[in-house]
């Protein structure tokens, strides 16, 4: 989960909320974040 000192964008907050509603665990959320980051690096686009 995010630390309280880090700002969370509205889009990221919604994504976290959606994953929580789908009962996805923290490990699944972390893996999804990692894959998304790899995708952004591959195509060199911002979130």
């Amino acid at each position: 989960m995010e630390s309280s000192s880090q700002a969370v964008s509205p889009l990221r907050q919604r994504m976290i909320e959606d994953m929580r509603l789908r009962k996805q665990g923290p490990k699944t959320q972390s893996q999804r974040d990692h894959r998304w980051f790899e995708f952004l690096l591959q195509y060199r686009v911002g979130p």
Side-chain angles (χ1 to χ4, degrees):
M1 199 71 192
E2 299 292 325
S3 68
S4 59
S5 64
Q6 247 181 344
V8 179
S9 73
L11 180 59
R12 171 121 173 87
Q13 184 62 40
R14 181 174 174 189
M15 187 172 84
I16 292 169
E17 212 171 285
D18 286 346
M19 287 190 282
R20 191 176 303 127
L21 289 172
R22 291 184 180 121
K23 300 185 190 297
Q24 294 179 345
K27 187 173 180 181
T28 303
Q29 292 176 15
S30 175
Q31 289 173 343
R32 192 176 201 184
D33 288 347
H34 180 72
R35 297 297 177 215
W36 182 246
F37 183 70
E38 285 181 341
F39 172 81
L40 295 175
L41 287 177
Q42 180 179 355
Y43 291 101
R44 298 175 190 217
V45 295

